[in-house]
Amino acid sequence: MFRGVNPINLDAKGRMAIPARYREQITGCCDGCLVATIDPDDRCLLLYPLQEWEEIQKKIEALPSLNPVARRLQRLLIGHATDLDMDANGRLLLPAPLREYAGLDKKIVLLGQGRKFEIWSESRWAETRDEYLQVAEGAEMPEEMQSLSL
């Protein structure tokens, strides 16, 4: 289970260090094998342990390829999916095309989302978070959430 907001610096080669608190869990669940792809709705990356990604990819592949929306998702998500291996120092090399898509430079944010991470430019995440908070002020709580005690 991945959670939390983690500020990280990318090095000059495009490598990011996975925070130490996640490394053992990533090694245990997928032997350091991860998959990164683009988020088609937001300019960020999605980072999955290999097994999680394989389940999602099966579902995406099963979508009807003659449906234009399904085909778009197949091309974007599977087409950009890239296998990444965490090195002995807990680092991942993010390929240039993925970094460019998400606008990643020196300062990034690794955002835990349960069974996956999102990787954001620090400034884009701050803007998006603030937009979410503004929208939430006037939004009606979904019925499923009303029974939760926070």
Side-chain angles (χ1 to χ4, degrees):
M1 175 75 66
F2 307 121
R3 58 180 165 250
V5 177
N6 306 274
I8 297 175
N9 289 324
L10 274 181
D11 70 13
K13 295 179 182 178
R15 294 178 299 195
M16 61 175 280
I18 296 290
R21 67 186 179 136
Y22 302 121
R23 291 180 194 172
E24 191 173 308
Q25 188 176 0
I26 290 170
T27 300
C29 78
C30 61
D31 200 27
C33 298
L34 300 155
V35 175
T37 191
I38 66 171
D39 182 323
D41 295 320
D42 290 303
R43 288 287 180 151
C44 69
L45 302 179
L46 306 174
L47 182 65
Y48 293 90
L50 180 60
Q51 302 91 298
E52 291 289 332
W53 171 253
E54 287 173 341
E55 291 300 315
I56 291 167
Q57 183 169 330
K58 285 178 192 175
K59 292 175 185 176
I60 296 168
E61 288 171 346
L63 295 172
S65 62
L66 294 179
N67 178 307
V69 173
R71 189 69 184 137
R72 172 185 164 268
L73 287 174
Q74 290 167 335
R75 287 179 174 148
L76 291 173
L77 291 169
I78 298 172
H80 286 90
T82 305
D83 293 299
L84 305 176
D85 293 314
M86 189 170 65
D87 70 14
N89 296 316
R91 296 177 303 190
L92 296 175
L93 175 61
L94 298 175
L98 295 181
R99 292 193 317 264
E100 289 168 16
Y101 172 82
L104 304 179
D105 50 21
K106 180 128 178 90
K107 293 188 176 286
I108 65 172
V109 169
L110 183 68
L111 188 66
Q113 292 293 289
R115 296 189 300 198
K116 71 176 184 277
F117 291 104
E118 293 178 350
I119 303 171
W120 291 79
S121 136
E122 185 179 72
S123 60
R124 184 169 281 139
W125 170 245
E127 290 170 12
T128 302
R129 179 203 57 218
D130 292 346
E131 287 174 20
Y132 290 163
L133 290 169
Q134 285 179 347
V135 169
E137 287 177 10
E140 188 173 320
M141 176 94 51
E143 189 175 316
E144 300 82 13
M145 300 271 305
Q146 292 178 9
S147 65
L148 292 179
S149 177
L150 299 176

